[in-house]
Every structure is written in structure tokens, then in C-alpha cells.
Amino acid sequence: MPLFVDEEPFGSSLKTVAEFLQRYVKFKEGAVQLSTKPTKEVPPHGLLYVGQREMAVISPEDECIQVLGTDDATTCHIAILRHTASLVTGMAHFDGSGLQLAVQNLIDTVLRETGGKQWGRLELTLVGGFKDSRGMSEELSFKLFDLNTRIEKGIPYPVIYGLAVIVQTGEIFPAKFQDRGPEQPLRSARHFTGSEEVINIYDNRKKQLVIGPFDYSTMDEIDLLCRLPDPIIREHLSTSPEQEPKHFEASVRAALVQIRDFPDPLKSVFKGKGIYFKKEADGRWTKVD
């Protein structure tokens, strides 16, 4: 499904993000407005956290989930797709893997949840990336479609690391999170040796978070990798070592331990089916047997 801006297919003649922003000033104005909003801490009540290489779509009629959110986006990008008539809202956290299929799945899922409403339009918000030294952000930005850069002591950093959207109102704001939901090491393990697919983590019929089933393979010298010191993990297992959040090393190590302790997850973890959780009124996720 091609994206058109002022009747011209996006990317038909533009080669850099800078060229795009120079031609379409309204996108630059919107970016500046969003990047100057204060960062809010989002409590777990009514929140569905979307991790890297994950997506979810929520209807405003959903009584369990009112907010979609994600963070830890340095060179990654966050996409929010909203249908203006039905208010159905989707979020995806892209790292460049499986991008073409993921974008189509996000669009298809949003349209499927609109309840047959033929009017309205799709509105896309895309946030993430910065002027990193390796140029990875701009490559991903242009594949998808950098005013998200601040300089501190000569080093570029993203302005916005996390983003949230309130499903009912469509309000979007920079965010950080008290809780990122269940089974984070399992969900993160897939980034290292698993599928490149961006998976949908929410069952709209059951109103439940679903994890898997998915596979990942073990790694050579996995015991050694689990014991790596923090500086080595940061330097060699990140696309942007200087810009990663403080919990980066702990999160990576937990994912590596997951791979070590639970090889062949289709058998050792999932046993042929996904793991389901429901959101409680107090914000906790409880496992559904």
C-alpha cells in the first residue's frame, strides 16, 4: 500500500530525510511540537507495553487497555497508526527487521478492527532515530517514510526514547514506564537469534496479551556471553552504545540467560501454544491458564 504525500508517492524522488523535511514543512513543525512536550511517566493501569519487534492494535471499546506505549527506541522507530472514524489505534516498534510485512500487517489489523466503517482516514505518527554516527537511523527512517536529535557534550542523543498514545483521545506524548509487562527476557530473546517477524502481541477477541509461540536458537559460547561485563555488552551488543538507557545491560543479560536456560522454546517454554495474560484493574498482568 503506497503512501502518498500531496498526491506524490513518498520516496519517489527524495533520497534523504533532510530532503523530505525541506519539501514537506508541516512534518517538521509537527515533529518540533511533539519533541518539546514533557515526558510523562505512565503507570501500569490500562497500559499495554509494546516491545521491540512487536505491534498491537486496540479498539476504544476495549475496557482493559486504554494506553499503548513503548520505549528504549534509539535507532529503532515507533509507529502509531490511527483510524479517525473508529478511533482504532495501532502501535509498532520497528528495528528494521521484517519491515515491509510488518507495515502491511499493522495497516490490515487496524482496518480489520474498524467495525466496517468506510469513512475516516488513517493517520500515521512516526517517531524515533537520531543522527547516529553509523547512519542506521536515517536508513530506517527513509525505509519507513531527524528532528529527534539533541547534542550533549558533542554526542548526539535521541530527544524522545519512548512514546505513548491514549486510545480514546488520540493524545500522543513522550513517555517512560513503571512496568513493561510480563516475560520481558523471553520477548527480548527473539531479537538475538529468533525470527525477524514483527509479531502482534494482543488478541482483540479475548482482550488478552499473548506471547508466542515463537522459536529462537541457542548461541555459541552462550555461558560466556551471559558473564560478559557491562561495558562489553554495551559496546558490542548495541547499535548505539553511548545512547542506550541505564538498564540496557541488565535487559540484554536477562535475554541471554533466557536463551541459555530455555533452549528450544517451542518445547521448553510454549509447549505448543502461546502464553496468555489478562490486565487486572490494578494494572497487573495475570497469567491465564
Side-chain angles (χ1 to χ4, degrees), residues 42-48 58-69 82 87 89 164-171 173 202 279-281 283 285:
V42 180
H45 306 81
L47 168 68
L48 176 59
I58 300 295
S59 163
E61 284 78 35
D62 193 314
E63 297 179 354
C64 301
I65 304 299
Q66 292 82 49
V67 182
L68 286 167
R82 181 174 172 84
L87 308 185
T89 304
V165 55
I166 299 175
V167 175
Q168 194 67 241
T169 65
E171 179 188 359
F173 53 90
Y202 196 69
K279 174 69 81 168
E280 302 292 353
W285 289 102

Side-chain angles (χ1 to χ4, degrees), residues 59-129:
S59 163
E61 284 78 35
D62 193 314
E63 297 179 354
C64 301
I65 304 299
Q66 292 82 49
V67 182
L68 286 167
T70 190
D71 64 357
D72 292 354
T74 53
T75 55
C76 291
H77 286 57
I78 304 163
I80 297 173
L81 189 66
R82 181 174 172 84
H83 186 256
T84 58
S86 65
L87 308 185
V88 170
T89 304
M91 173 178 279
H93 187 135
F94 296 129
D95 63 5
S97 299
L99 192 59
Q100 183 173 352
L101 180 60
V103 170
Q104 190 62 58
N105 285 343
L106 180 62
I107 295 170
D108 290 345
T109 306
V110 168
L111 292 177
R112 186 168 62 246
E113 295 299 320
T114 59
K117 291 184 172 63
Q118 300 299 316
W119 63 97
R121 65 182 185 278
L122 291 175
E123 292 184 342
L124 173 68
T125 300
L126 184 66
V127 173

